[in-house]
Amino acid sequence: MDKSIRKIVVVLIFIILLPALFFAVYEINSLSSNERIIERIYNNQVEAILYSVNQFSEDIISSWRSKIKTMRDNKKSNVMKDEIKKFLHQNTAVKFVFFGDSVGIKALIADEGTPNEIDNVLNHGFTTNTTKIERLYNYSREGYNKIEPIPINLKDRTLIISVIETTNGKEILGVGIDPLLFIKQILSPKIQSVGQNEFIISVFNKKNRENIYSTEGINVNNLQNEKDLWLLPEYSLGIVLKGGTIQSLVKDRAETNLILLLLLIIILFVGGWIVFRNIKKEIALAKIKSDFVSNVSHELRTPLALISMFAETLEMGRIRSEEKKNEYYTIISHETARLSRIVNRILNFSQMEAGKRKYNFANVQLNTIIEEVFNTYKFHLQNKGFKFTSLPDNNIPLIYADKEAVSEAIINIIDNAVKYSHDRKEVELSTGTMGELVYVKIKDHGIGISVQDQKKIFEKFFRVSSGYVHDTKGTGLGLSLVKHIMDAHKGEITLHSTPGSGSSFILKFKTSQ
Ligand code: ADP
């Protein structure tokens, strides 16, 4: 690889690709840690939501506790009972209220629908939960108003007890709750508000997983996180994110990020590659241009040197023989013609580059053009030891072309045939038809062109830089002019060439309209 190109590659790697790779690795790493953070935040939020529902239940029951306690304080028994009955009437989720001690129940106020066997059941509940009751007493002694559920064998009722301070000392206050009513009447608005349209929250029976209430229709088994309801031990709260699980959301997000990241890397690589290719092209062009300047100077210098040398010799009048003089004049005129051809070629090229070249299209006979070219170049080529033949096909139709430009293209190719043939000096011109097109073929038996160079020789300034060509003068403009002319004619150029055995350039033209 060229030294300057290697330098560019290193620079590109350092300024584009390495940072891009570092960035990608860093991003991929942080993606997974982001996922963990998101999941943690989500879990915390879910915890907070479930906690707030539990806390709300506790607040409600605590507020009932203090209301009932106030009714109990300093009231005659029948007034208190009336007030509590009123309370039960207002809060239908509460089915009965009682007061008692660690031994059993002292007073029970129940709504009308509550069965009479409550007494026995409650007493049984008391005796089987003595430790819990003892603990509540302890809490109360330390100043905490704790409330706690205790299991009782009373269908559809949950018993919640706490210890209250009365004028008669510490007493147990119990409320019997209808859990279904409690959930539907009291918890549901709270659950709805904490769900905030982002989550589906459900309260369900722990044993049979039957949905009791949910913010939206849901299969209980699809819930993501579950938590017991502290005060309704037979029921649980469950929650799930709307529109998919958090894992799937996080996964989707990570996937999109990863795809974007990959795209970014691909774009960076493609960008880097394009920059590299352009710079490489520019470097090659700069080299080609500097070669061009030296090639042109070289091409101009040789005929100039010959002209001045022979002109000076003639000027000095040393040449006596007319024959010799004529030979010198011919050389001078040949070299002048060569000079003007080179200059013309450069001028044509610059016109062509500027898009200013004008073509005069007309219906012309290709055979006429090659005949003129053949006659003009016959002697020149024969003098150089070439066998120059012309094989026109007399049946070809007229073509629509600029005569001058077509001869210029053919001459350029003949010029090359002469320049790049050294062992077998033969050039053959022929015409013919190929389908709809009319062609002229210029065939030589010269050094030929490698397949790899065949693609490049029509580019401006391009010259094969090795071997025989290296020592032959040229500007690298001839074939690019030919290509330009053929493009202007909407024609085609085909090249068949084998290194070592010669080349055939075929110019194909459209027939006249
Ligand atoms: P140049 O002034 O170098 O001849 P051209 O554009 O006419 O420029 O040709 C480009 C290159 O193509 C030449 O330098 C030569 O390497 C190669 N080339 C063109 N014609 C022939 C040919 N007939 N045989 C071998 N090589 C050729």
Side-chain angles (χ1 to χ4, degrees):
M1 213 191 303
D2 201 298
K3 211 169 153 195
S4 47
I5 291 180
R6 203 174 310 148
K7 225 181 201 169
I8 295 167
V9 171
V10 172
V11 169
L12 279 181
I13 288 177
F14 271 100
I15 65 169
I16 300 185
L17 303 185
L18 275 188
L21 279 179
F22 275 128
F23 174 67
V25 171
Y26 170 77
E27 272 299 297
I28 288 168
N29 266 344
S30 62
L31 266 186
S32 54
S33 80
N34 282 350
E35 280 170 38
R36 281 196 297 275
I37 291 171
I38 292 174
E39 216 166 327
R40 204 163 52 231
I41 293 173
Y42 168 80
N43 283 334
N44 287 345
Q45 192 182 352
V46 162
E47 284 282 315
I49 288 174
L50 297 181
Y51 183 88
S52 75
V53 175
N54 261 326
Q55 189 60 52
F56 179 76
S57 320
E58 194 167 316
D59 290 347
I60 291 288
I61 293 174
S62 293
S63 81
W64 288 344
R65 173 188 176 276
S66 26
K67 270 187 196 156
I68 297 166
K69 183 176 173 292
T70 327
M71 294 171 200
R72 170 90 172 107
D73 284 345
N74 303 320
K75 293 270 163 61
K76 284 192 184 122
S77 157
N78 53 344
V79 180
M80 175 197 77
K81 274 189 180 162
D82 281 349
E83 280 191 3
I84 291 180
K85 279 226 154 128
K86 217 161 118 199
F87 170 83
L88 291 176
H89 196 67
Q90 283 163 355
N91 299 285
T92 46
V94 187
K95 290 300 176 194
F96 58 84
V97 171
F98 68 81
F99 303 97
D101 55 25
S102 50
V103 184
I105 291 182
K106 290 205 279 197
L108 172 79
I109 305 104
D111 75 345
E112 277 139 64
T114 309
N116 284 331
E117 73 265 26
I118 279 182
D119 252 8
N120 290 336
V121 177
L122 288 181
N123 280 327
H124 177 73
F126 266 43
T127 45
T128 46
N129 283 283
T130 42
T131 24
K132 227 178 204 174
I133 291 167
E134 193 52 45
R135 209 166 56 221
L136 281 176
Y137 271 107
N138 286 339
Y139 273 125
S140 169
R141 270 192 286 276
E142 283 161 26
Y144 296 114
N145 293 325
K146 217 146 146 57
I147 53 177
E148 236 179 282
I150 58 168
I152 50 167
N153 196 11
L154 193 58
K155 195 154 59 93
D156 289 346
R157 298 286 177 269
T158 300
L159 179 60
I160 295 168
I161 58 167
S162 68
V163 173
I164 53 170
E165 200 70 53
T166 69
T167 38
N168 305 332
K170 289 192 190 300
E171 222 172 51
I172 288 175
L173 162 63
V175 281
I177 285 178
D178 178 338
L180 298 188
L181 279 184
F182 184 80
I183 292 164
K184 285 178 184 163
Q185 288 177 353
I186 294 160
L187 284 191
S188 66
K190 175 70 182 172
I191 291 175
Q192 197 79 45
S193 81
V194 293
Q196 283 179 346
N197 287 329
E198 285 172 21
F199 296 95
I200 301 174
I201 303 176
S202 145
V203 185
F204 59 95
N205 188 312
K206 241 160 66 176
K207 266 193 211 118
N208 58 16
R209 296 189 72 80
E210 184 197 339
N211 183 34
I212 308 297
Y213 170 82
S214 66
T215 50
E216 255 175 49
I218 182 163
N219 180 344
V220 170
N221 295 327
N222 293 340
L223 293 167
Q224 277 281 302
N225 298 52
E226 293 178 11
K227 265 256 137 67
D228 284 350
L229 275 172
W230 304 334
L231 295 175
L232 307 176
E234 280 163 29
Y235 299 88
S236 276
L237 269 173
I239 192 165
V240 65
L241 196 68
K242 271 189 191 175
T245 62
I246 188 71
Q247 282 82 1
S248 71
L249 284 185
V250 168
K251 208 170 141 244
D252 284 354
R253 213 185 79 109
E255 266 170 20
T256 344
N257 283 346
L258 217 63
I259 290 171
L260 285 179
L261 203 65
L262 279 179
L263 267 177
L264 187 74
I265 293 172
I266 292 172
I267 290 172
L268 275 174
F269 269 80
V270 171
W273 183 73
I274 290 173
V275 170
F276 169 71
R277 221 185 46 169
N278 281 347
I279 295 178
K280 203 174 136 193
K281 246 191 191 158
E282 286 302 316
I283 289 178
L285 198 68
K287 186 180 173 313
I288 267 174
K289 278 184 178 163
S290 82
D291 286 354
F292 170 72
V293 172
S294 82
N295 286 339
V296 169
S297 334
H298 189 71
E299 271 228 73
L300 293 177
R301 213 169 43 205
T302 324
L304 273 178
L306 287 174
I307 291 168
S308 80
M309 186 180 85
F310 287 107
E312 274 169 24
T313 320
L314 286 169
E315 222 173 25
M316 282 190 265
R318 281 206 217 127
I319 311 295
R320 302 268 173 256
S321 113
E322 275 309 305
E323 203 184 327
K324 220 28 184 185
K325 272 186 194 167
N326 275 341
E327 190 189 322
Y328 284 12
Y329 286 134
T330 318
I331 292 175
I332 290 174
S333 101
H334 267 155
E335 291 307 311
T336 317
R338 190 163 127 197
L339 257 184
S340 66
R341 257 208 323 278
I342 298 167
V343 173
N344 275 342
R345 190 174 290 177
I346 295 169
L347 286 178
N348 279 346
F349 175 77
S350 73
Q351 260 187 342
M352 178 188 98
E353 277 286 273
K356 284 188 189 146
R357 174 144 192 185
K358 296 266 179 302
Y359 291 93
N360 298 314
F361 287 96
N363 292 335
V364 289
Q365 173 54 255
L366 188 57
N367 285 340
T368 323
I369 301 176
I370 71 152
E371 197 184 322
E372 280 171 16
V373 171
F374 181 74
N375 288 334
T376 324
Y377 278 80
K378 195 167 54 183
F379 299 108
H380 174 63
L381 259 73
Q382 280 165 359
N383 277 343
K384 288 198 157 207
F386 274 85
K387 185 178 164 209
F388 191 33
T389 43
S390 169
L391 295 169
D393 172 351
N394 291 324
N395 296 320
I396 57 170
L398 297 180
I399 57 168
Y400 189 64
D402 176 334
K403 205 174 148 201
E404 289 303 315
V406 175
S407 357
E408 188 187 328
I410 299 172
I411 292 167
N412 280 347
I413 297 174
I414 296 176
D415 250 6
N416 285 345
V418 172
K419 278 200 293 193
Y420 305 113
S421 300
H422 49 121
D423 293 335
R424 207 171 141 194
K425 298 189 167 186
E426 284 173 33
V427 178
E428 181 189 291
L429 290 180
S430 57
T431 55
T433 47
M434 265 182 202
E436 298 277 278
L437 303 173
V438 178
Y439 73 85
V440 52
K441 181 155 103 180
I442 302 103
K443 186 174 174 187
D444 67 51
H445 298 275
I447 58 170
I449 304 159
S450 70
V451 178
Q452 181 187 344
D453 287 334
Q454 283 179 24
K455 286 181 219 137
K456 298 185 194 153
I457 55 168
F458 295 99
E459 288 169 14
K460 56 189 175 190
F461 307 122
F462 180 82
R463 306 200 71 222
V464 175
S465 54
S466 58
Y468 180 74
V469 184
H470 191 66
D471 307 322
T472 315
K473 282 162 259 145
T475 53
L477 297 182
L479 288 182
S480 73
L481 276 166
V482 173
K483 170 137 178 43
H484 189 268
I485 291 168
M486 291 313 289
D487 286 347
H489 282 76
K490 297 194 172 62
E492 291 170 23
I493 314 177
T494 348
L495 166 62
H496 302 286
S497 186
T498 321
S501 58
S503 318
S504 295
F505 286 84
I506 303 169
L507 308 183
K508 298 176 198 163
F509 297 91
K510 284 189 172 159
T511 53
S512 65
Q513 281 102 6

